Amino acid sequence: MSTPYPFTALVGQDDLRLALLLNAVSPAVGGVLVRGEKGTAKSTAVRALSALLPQVPVVAGCRFSCDPAAADPACPDGPHDVGGDSARDARMVELPVGASEDRLVGALDIERALAEGVKAFEPGLLADAHRGILYVDEVNLLHDHLVDLLLDAAAMGASYVEREGVSVRHAARFLLVGTMNPEEGELRPQLLDRFGLTVEVAASRETDQRVEVVRRRLAYDDDAEGFAARWGDEEAALRTRIVAARALLPQVRLGDGALRQIAATCAAFEVDGMRADIVMARTATALAAWAGREDVLAEDVRQAALLALPHRRRRNPFDAPGLDEDKLDDTLEQSGGDDGDDDPDPDGPGGGGLPPESGPDSPGAPGDQSDAGQEDESSAAQAPAGGGGEQQAVRASEPFRTKMLSVPGLGEGAAGRRSRARTEHGRTTGARRPQGALTKLHLAATVQAAAPHQRARGRSGRGLVVRRDDLRQATREGREGNLVLFVVDASGSMAARQRMSAVKGAVLSLLLDAYQRRDKVGLVTFRGTSADVALPPTSSVDAAAARLESLPTGGRTPVSAGLLKAHEVLRVERLRDPARRPLVVVVTDGRATGGPAPVAQAGRAARLFGAAGIASVVVDCESGPVRLGLAGQLAGELGATAVTLDELRAESIAGLVKDVQGSGSRKTRMRSVA
């Protein structure tokens, strides 16, 4: 095993280190979600922590790491004999983004269970992580059903595998650490709530700290063992402190005053449910134990709130994370609470053991993107793109609930909630011979396949003789996520304040719908003489909403340029993610201007989409008593559905069905359903 980077040699990242140490003291805190950019020592810190944890006593030969002092009576490898115990280092198990359900929870051999009556179970990563650390990098990119399984096991302390009436249960208690880059997409709020603590990390902007990070990393890369040896005393001291805090934890008193402060804080920040109160109580108790105290103070409650509440106050994907510290201080003061003596923070958020030269970092959450200004928009509507006097951004109107737009046919893309697709989870629609390992048995089809051969197989008694060739894999149909590419007209004809505000509100509503349906989104805008990719396809609707908010308007309307740019984006994305089907949403009034024969050029560009069978919708933004119907004509060229802003939010837009003639005479259907 390679020598891990010493935990005490980490520079800065105080909140990250403190959150990890608190979970090491009290795993009941519920794990840590680390949000931030890449290259900020997230993985290094987790690996370093695993080296600090005390050795784990285990029952010899048990694949599930049972504790000899309290062996799991339901352990699949049990019952365990007394004696023959051993100890091993605490494990850090990494869950890759592409892991299957069987790899996570374990694989039950259905073939042997049916044919031989043997309950053969191969443990998964949850069993390996028992009594250790489970590290999930890019947790926001995991399929939702895997995240659900993961968090359920973390909450219950056990993992269950059930298939066709055969079930296995084993203990699975671990310190859960997930990392994510918010720009790649958010976790659903109900999943965010399942992580005990959250921290925001960012690279330091202080020159001295950055120099020290590089100096230590180069020294470690040159001689890992020698570098680790130089930090041996600090590591030993921190390891001793963790053991002492664990021993002190049961003696820590959480008084009524501290409980009232916790309850008042959670109520003031309007977090849902009671999990936040419980996590704050456990965190404040762990903070007191870490500081060597037997009483929880107000400072412990405050620090617990800063770690446990920011991710729980998000109401929708466009809410910025973070906590108003002035409001927090006012709430703690008003709720009173006996905070004991005036003992200052004995160790600071860094967690102790760091040399003086490391210095405290000042991470804090990344700054919110500034809201775009809203200046007067009078004469700028006809200003050429890129020239002076172009309009400033208009704030979007209030988003609303839109109707579901779906891609026709049956896809095979990533799991989501938009279009029909063949999936691993969903309703059973048929059966087929397994291709590779059998994962979802279709019992009725298997019995039907085996029944005609029973006499030839010498069946005796009441049993059914099943062979491998009889097994049938269930085929299932569920929903997939799509790539929703917005092509937004930002020209002068769209620039009137009320119209652009309504348009942005509609796109924002569709973005919120895309977030809820687990889609990827992209944003192409066109104005003046060209089109731009404002946002390449991403899973982050936050980023799309921010780009939309700051979108300027003005100039002519190069519809053809916007469509051609969108076509190029889809071509590149199809190479990167061929299974994810696109849905193009064109938001325009259809008034193509600029260049020779702009309407004809727009028609030719639109026919590219029709020829490729790309599902699309045109949101007609034309308003006023006199309407030219140009957006409807564009929809006809695209082979798309045209829908007005009012129809987008109407109670029902059933019947908006358009057949699209695809390549090779393939017909597809684009429809909107209620």
Side-chain angles (χ1 to χ4, degrees), residues 370-674:
S370 59
D371 290 332
Q374 295 187 52
E375 299 182 5
D376 188 27
E377 308 168 293
S378 55
S379 61
Q382 300 301 324
E390 65 183 23
Q391 285 186 306
Q392 296 298 315
V394 178
R395 190 175 293 276
S397 63
E398 192 69 21
F400 53 86
R401 183 174 180 271
T402 68
K403 300 303 176 182
M404 187 180 77
L405 307 174
S406 64
V407 178
L410 195 63
E412 295 182 352
R417 298 181 179 179
R418 185 173 297 279
S419 305
R420 293 174 54 218
R422 299 181 184 90
T423 59
E424 288 295 320
H425 298 269
R427 63 186 181 89
T428 300
T429 57
R432 59 173 173 81
R433 290 182 181 274
Q435 300 169 349
L438 177 70
T439 56
K440 300 291 183 182
L441 178 73
H442 195 298
L443 187 58
T446 299
V447 171
Q448 288 177 353
H453 308 290
Q454 296 306 297
R455 179 174 297 178
R457 293 173 184 175
R459 172 190 173 191
S460 61
R462 308 171 95 179
L464 183 69
V465 180
V466 179
R467 294 180 179 174
R468 182 180 181 84
D469 289 343
D470 303 325
L471 298 175
R472 295 294 182 267
Q473 174 85 24
T475 57
R476 297 171 182 258
E477 182 179 311
R479 293 280 173 176
E480 67 177 0
N482 299 110
L483 166 60
V484 183
L485 181 62
F486 295 93
V487 185
V488 180
D489 183 349
S491 63
S493 64
M494 298 279 288
R497 176 182 290 272
Q498 291 183 350
R499 180 191 290 187
M500 201 60 199
S501 177
V503 167
K504 285 189 175 183
V507 177
L508 197 65
S509 303
L510 290 167
L511 281 172
L512 183 58
D513 180 71
Y515 165 79
Q516 294 168 340
R517 301 192 187 281
R518 316 306 291 163
D519 296 316
K520 291 180 72 172
V521 295
L523 179 62
V524 172
T525 63
F526 57 94
R527 58 190 288 267
T529 60
S530 63
D532 297 304
V533 181
L535 182 71
T538 176
S539 295
S540 175
V541 295
D542 298 60
R547 301 292 172 87
L548 179 71
E549 187 70 22
S550 59
L551 179 67
T553 58
R556 295 187 179 274
T557 312
V559 175
S560 61
L563 294 177
L564 291 174
K565 180 67 72 174
H567 194 271
E568 176 63 17
V569 170
L570 294 181
R571 184 189 68 80
V572 174
E573 190 63 20
R574 189 177 293 114
L575 297 175
R576 295 174 177 169
D577 192 357
R580 190 181 290 266
R581 297 185 296 162
L583 171 62
V584 177
V585 180
V586 183
V587 184
T588 182
D589 58 10
R591 298 183 182 183
T593 59
V599 176
Q601 288 184 6
R604 285 194 292 271
R607 285 191 287 274
L608 282 174
F609 286 81
I614 297 174
S616 53
V617 174
V618 174
V619 179
D620 184 356
C621 301
E622 195 173 27
S623 60
V626 179
R627 304 192 182 191
L628 303 179
L630 297 175
Q633 295 178 23
L634 180 64
E637 298 283 0
L638 284 167
T641 296
V643 54
T644 66
L645 290 174
D646 290 336
E647 288 173 329
L648 195 61
R649 70 165 80 210
E651 182 175 353
S652 175
I653 52 177
L656 290 176
V657 178
K658 188 82 172 181
D659 284 343
V660 181
Q661 181 69 41
S663 57
S665 299
R666 178 175 60 86
K667 286 189 175 182
T668 57
R669 176 175 292 175
M670 174 63 220
R671 59 183 177 179
S672 301
V673 296

Side-chain angles (χ1 to χ4, degrees), residues 56 85 121 147-148 220 229 243 261 265 343 457 513 640 649:
V56 178
D85 304 332
F121 180 71
V147 179
D148 286 332
Y220 171 77
V243 173
Q261 288 185 315
T265 301
D343 182 28
R457 293 173 184 175
D513 180 71
R649 70 165 80 210

Side-chain angles (χ1 to χ4, degrees), residues 227-247:
F227 182 82
R230 291 198 294 273
W231 293 87
D233 291 342
E234 288 84 353
E235 292 285 286
L238 191 56
R239 188 177 294 109
T240 300
R241 186 174 177 185
I242 291 173
V243 173
R246 283 183 172 184

Side-chain angles (χ1 to χ4, degrees), residues 319-404:
D319 287 341
L323 215 60
D324 185 339
E325 295 194 31
D326 291 336
K327 179 179 179 180
L328 173 61
D329 291 335
D330 290 343
T331 301
L332 292 174
E333 183 177 352
Q334 292 173 9
S335 59
D338 182 9
D339 56 6
D341 57 34
D342 296 326
D343 182 28
D345 189 357
D347 54 271
L354 288 176
E357 63 269 18
S358 68
D361 198 358
S362 303
D368 297 338
Q369 295 192 14
S370 59
D371 290 332
Q374 295 187 52
E375 299 182 5
D376 188 27
E377 308 168 293
S378 55
S379 61
Q382 300 301 324
E390 65 183 23
Q391 285 186 306
Q392 296 298 315
V394 178
R395 190 175 293 276
S397 63
E398 192 69 21
F400 53 86
R401 183 174 180 271
T402 68
K403 300 303 176 182
M404 187 180 77

Side-chain angles (χ1 to χ4, degrees), residues 259-303:
L259 275 174
R260 290 187 64 83
Q261 288 185 315
I262 290 170
T265 301
C266 292
F269 285 96
E270 299 180 346
V271 296
D272 294 329
M274 295 298 298
R275 185 175 284 118
D277 304 63
I278 296 170
V279 171
M280 273 190 65
R282 290 171 174 167
T283 304
T285 303
L287 280 162
W290 179 245
R293 289 185 269 100
E294 294 186 359
D295 292 292
V296 173
L297 306 182
E299 66 193 51
D300 300 323
V301 175
R302 185 182 192 278
Q303 183 64 62

